Amino acid sequence: MKINSSHLFIVAAITFFVISCEKEVKLKEDQINPRIVVNGIFEASDTLRIHLSESRNVLFNNGGDLPNLTSASASLLSENDEVLGTFSHDSFGTYSLIGFYPVAGKEYKLIVNSPGLEEVTSQNLIPEIISIASIDTIRQSENMNFKITINDNPDEVNYYAIIIESRVTEIFPSPIPNVNDTLSYRFRYACSKDVIIEGASEDIDGSKCGQSLLFRDENFNGSSYTVDVESFIGDSPDTVIISLQSISEELFKYNTSLQRYQETNGNPFGEPVQVYSNIENGFGIFAGYSVYADTIVF
Amino acid sequence: MRILNCLVLCTVLLISSSLLAQNKHTISGYIKNEMTGEALIGARVYVNALKVGTITNVYGFYSLTLPEGAHEVLFSFVGYEVIKKGIELDSDIRISINLKEGNNLKEVVVTGEKKLQESTEISTINLNMDKVKSLPVLLGEVDIIKTAQLLPGIQSGSEGSSGIYVRGGGPDQNLILLDGVPIYNANHLFGFFSVFNADAINSVKIVKGGFPARYGGRLSSVIDIRMNEGDMKKIHGEGSVGIISSKFMLNGPIFKDKTSFMVSGRRTYIDILARPFISAANNANSESGDRSSGGYFFYDLNGKINHIINDNNRVYFSAYLGRDRFYIDQRYEYFNQSDSKNYTESANGGLSWGNEIMALRWNHQYSPKLFSNFSLNFSDYNFNTGFGSKVWAEDDEDNPIEDFSFDYISGITDWGGRLDFFYYPGPNHEINFGIGEIYHTFRPGVNQLKFNEVGSSIDLKFGSPNTFAHEFYGFIEDDMVLTKRLSANVGVHFSNLYVRKKLYPTIQPRGALNFKLDEKSSIKASYSRMAQFLHLLSNTSIGLPTDLWVPATDKIPPQYGNQFSVGYVRELPKGYRISTEGYYKTMDNLIEYKEGASFFSTNTNWEELVEVGKGWSYGAEVLFEKRTGKTTGWIGYTLSWTKRQFENLNDGNVYPYRYDRRHDVSVVVTHKFNDKIDVGMVWVYGTGNAISLALQKYNGSSASGFSSQIEHIESKNDYRMAAYHRLDLGVNIHKEKEWGEATWSFGVYNAYSRQNPFYLDFGYLRNSDEYVLKQISLFPIIPSVSYNFKF
């Protein structure tokens, strides 16, 4: 077909119509000043470690790493503002507080300073441990079904996370006689169709899956409740560890919002997610948990 | 003794009222356009000596009770010559009047309509269709919704969008009626145009507050659109040919003065224009085996039949059918050497959505004082999107080796009936009452997945189940003159929703007062309580048909709203008028998607995907108009705040609504040089939309130690896009022809080519490797030309 001038005019008109105009929008300084980022999720009775880094505006180093803070000062205080210790830098922005072990049922405060950045603070109460009353299991080939029963504390609002971790050691024959190569790894992934699970979105079969299954005691406060969980454990696991974490409300909000964020990120039809933070003047999370774990040895 | 006194008193009262009644008679009838026979809605019937009057209802009917004796009655309507008729009233008489279109606008406006300072109507605008057709518009497509967006308190969403946001309400909170039937999605071309063909429209009334009791079902506005009925005398037609679409309207008598018809149609031809280029591209790629086709179009069809059975009975049937379709199809042919066969792979995708409505109405006049309308109606909105692929060998397309398709289907269907009565007991009262019922079928979203391959197949349907609901309502209102200065419209709207064995009864009191300060000015006040049993789940800001209509259910309550407004109106010399209004509105049980939710969320019922919260908005509006003379137009300004609060969104903190527009200005001017040339100018300004934009990023982690970068949104909708402003210019050149009139319309949209924000995105500008925040704009300066004809 011969293209003539009227066709060219129509092409130009359509092109003119559909091609959008773009221009840069400058971000204001106060919108993009870097802030201190604290990532401190810690377990009761374990060494306290936090990671400190800096935030950057979203245009910074597209896809690249964000800078760690290596010369910040971080202090841990009790709820009465008594200084319990000062963190020391290990490496790559990780700080630890040696010789101090947080206790369940206590509240702790964190203060972090770094040159050129605004001071950040946070505080969190570590919930008391909640035991697993019983676990019933059914092995189905490479999967295992767990019925985990907990007795909820009626005196408070409780938030939980269930984590199923499989530890596997695989042996690979080697050309050298009497020598084998071994590979040890662990993975965490579990699914549940229970309606109380929050954070993760539903799959086609109604399951919600993730590295941890988060829920609260809204529907069973003070009574016994059984959560049905399924996990892939592999052909021949060494051990499977079933952990029930009793987490603070702040950690629950952070983890559920982070799960939603990770599932939605990049989806143009997904509603934007605001990841929760309890760091005042900064970003991130400072929260503790206590854990009760059972181990199945194969 | 007391009982006797009471009886005597009652008897005296009865006799007195009987005597009084005997001394009054009623004139009633219809007021129509002399040339076409079209009913004139809102035409005035007035007796100056008694200072009493009335206006015609939506069917052109009026009724006015006067004392026995001689009277001079004025019949008038905006743009028409006044008729004064002397009558000797000694019994009820029927007077139907045909008004002639007039040329002396200055004279007729003074008496042509019930003056705003006399009317109990508040927050109400009657759009002038001639004005609608004379204003410059995008691509020359005249649009009543776009014209409405030029008025204070009514705003558009995004650039080019025809969704409307009235006094802080969402796009679902507008009851859009076409001949009394609700339309659920009034958007074509992803919201750039509305579904209303202006050539088929007779009148448009927009109510933003002070809702009379006859209206119900939505919180924020009523847009009552009446189609033309059809010329009872001779065949008329109108049409236009524009850059992207053409339309045509034909109306006329089937039986003169008895039965008339109106049909109109509009279609775009972007797909037809693109076909030669697609063909050329396919021919160029013929060696590679690639072939593509695709396109987009929309169409509207309107039809109406109007039949006068006798003086007391007439019936109407009206229908609308409209559809948008976007499609793309790609095929690839190749030769497989392993089995020496030719294979074809095809991939296709598309969107399709549309409305169908039908209404059957019967008007009956029982007496000079009592008029009724009974209507049955049907409305259906459906949306379908899908994509698929197929592989077949040789030419055996019917037996593919592999066949995959995914469809997402949603929509809503209504069957309804309504009975309205208009009762005119006397000149100081106009009583409307009625009942109605709507049977809703909601289809909130079903995913259909099919996959067939040799040895395996999947046929899966999942999503939200259909929901059925009955909505029953009744109302009564009285528009009354209380004193010489004070008039009121008081009423109550009752509605009840029955859904999934749950009942939601509501009583919605309504009241509006008008106090005349003097002949030229008045103060108005109103209160309305509204209930809405539907929600619209919107995933994006553009009027995408992915928005889902969902009902209130046993888990998700209906929306409720309260609105207070006060206003002042003053007629000024030389055809000027100024009106100001302040309002405060609350909205409860609004719904929004939860964070992370999407209408594509696989198996989850929509009720699990939403949060329930509240909103409120308040503001002030000013409208300064010039309504007569060669130069007419208006300046409108709105100052407003609109907020939302949801317990589980934004951490429970109050945040601005996306369309919280602090300042909204429109300047509209038309000038008629002579009968041949008129020009128009529109300038609009609006504060930018409020959006959620992540400006910072940081390292996150979970208990497992896995780290990812998180983009941080400080607060929901805390980022303001740049302000929007635009200038449109247009000129119309009219020419009388032997067969009628032809008009060339030239226009420029966005005359100074302002880059208004359409959306923001992070990315790379063209020919640059710098990662930036980009503002994408849609329409630069766009000239348009269209040829219009009328016969």
Side-chain angles (χ1 to χ4, degrees), chain B residues 609-655:
Chain B
L609 298 177
V610 301
E611 300 286 351
V612 179
K614 61 184 180 184
W616 54 102
S617 76
Y618 47 91
E621 298 163 5
V622 179
L623 182 63
F624 180 66
E625 306 170 80
K626 183 175 189 290
R627 293 145 67 227
T628 61
K630 290 197 169 188
T631 306
T632 59
W634 67 81
I635 299 173
Y637 172 68
T638 308
L639 172 69
S640 67
W641 286 259
T642 306
K643 300 173 189 181
R644 297 286 189 266
Q645 187 176 30
F646 287 72
E647 190 186 333
N648 294 321
L649 296 179
N650 204 41
D651 215 20
N653 298 315
V654 175
Y655 61 92

Side-chain angles (χ1 to χ4, degrees), chain A residues 1 7 11 16-17 19-25 27 31-33 35 37 39 41 53 55-60 62 64 66 188 202-204 206 211 253-254 258 260-262 264 269-275 283-284, chain B residues 139 276-277 539 593-600 602-604 650-651 694-704 706 708-716 719 755 762 764 766 771-777 779 781:
Chain A
M1 187 199 79
H7 292 141
V11 169
F16 191 60
F17 173 69
I19 285 184
S20 51
C21 305
E22 301 177 331
K23 70 176 186 182
E24 184 184 350
V25 176
L27 299 176
Q31 290 173 326
I32 55 173
N33 283 337
R35 297 193 226 173
V37 180
N39 282 301
I41 299 174
S53 57
S55 70
R56 283 287 187 271
N57 74 72
V58 291
L59 302 174
F60 171 82
N62 186 27
L66 298 174
R188 293 178 177 182
E202 269 187 32
D203 286 341
I204 284 179
Q211 295 194 2
K253 283 183 175 177
Y254 176 79
L258 183 62
R260 280 195 299 270
Y261 177 85
Q262 287 167 342
T264 310
F269 294 105
E271 291 295 300
V273 177
Q274 288 170 270
V275 177
F283 303 121
Chain B
L139 294 167
F277 301 97
N539 214 215
Y593 272 117
K594 286 181 175 169
E595 288 185 346
S598 154
F599 83 98
F600 273 135
T602 51
N603 195 36
T604 313
N650 204 41
D651 215 20
L695 295 177
Q696 293 236 30
K697 59 184 178 183
Y698 62 92
N699 290 324
S701 77
S702 62
S704 64
F706 175 73
S708 60
Q709 280 188 11
I710 296 168
E711 292 183 352
H712 174 75
I713 298 170
E714 185 71 37
S715 181
K716 197 168 166 70
Y719 185 89
Q755 282 186 280
F762 292 99
Y764 300 91
R766 257 183 239 111
Y771 191 65
V772 298
L773 175 62
K774 298 189 294 184
Q775 173 188 287
I776 286 83
S777 305
F779 297 129
I781 179 170

Side-chain angles (χ1 to χ4, degrees), chain B residues 44 110-111 113-119 519 571 577:
Chain B
R44 200 169 190 214
V110 171
T111 54
E113 59 180 359
K114 190 170 187 180
K115 295 174 192 172
L116 198 53
Q117 61 271 26
E118 295 169 354
S119 165
E519 283 303 312
E571 293 276 344
R577 181 167 74 189

Side-chain angles (χ1 to χ4, degrees), chain B residues 301-433:
Chain B
L301 291 169
N302 287 280
K304 193 159 178 175
I305 293 178
N306 167 21
H307 176 64
I308 301 171
I309 300 170
N310 54 41
D311 281 348
N312 293 333
N313 293 281
R314 56 178 59 193
V315 290
Y316 311 80
F317 174 76
S318 50
Y320 166 83
L321 173 67
R323 184 144 289 273
D324 285 67
R325 188 163 169 247
F326 168 76
Y327 58 95
I328 186 164
D329 189 271
Q330 230 174 348
R331 293 194 175 196
Y332 171 64
E333 291 171 355
Y334 62 94
F335 179 74
N336 189 343
Q337 300 212 338
S338 59
D339 60 5
S340 301
K341 282 186 182 173
N342 288 314
Y343 284 86
T344 306
E345 271 185 39
S346 83
N348 59 77
L351 291 169
S352 165
W353 67 95
N355 296 280
E356 292 159 21
I357 70 158
M358 278 186 284
L360 181 64
R361 283 180 289 127
W362 169 45
N363 288 352
H364 178 66
Q365 186 179 348
Y366 295 88
S367 73
K369 296 185 184 182
L370 185 61
F371 176 95
S372 78
N373 174 68
F374 174 66
S375 62
L376 295 170
N377 55 69
F378 165 80
S379 176
D380 179 84
Y381 166 70
N382 58 82
F383 164 75
N384 181 314
T385 185
F387 53 88
S389 66
K390 227 191 226 187
V391 180
W392 64 92
E394 303 294 327
D395 290 326
D396 196 7
E397 187 175 348
D398 290 336
N399 293 301
I401 298 160
E402 192 181 289
D403 189 2
F404 165 77
S405 70
F406 174 81
D407 286 285
Y408 178 84
I409 304 154
S410 73
I412 176 170
T413 303
D414 287 350
W415 290 94
R418 181 180 171 123
L419 179 59
D420 289 80
F421 289 94
F422 301 79
Y423 178 52
Y424 307 86
N428 294 335
H429 292 273
E430 200 173 299
I431 300 173
N432 284 11
F433 58 97

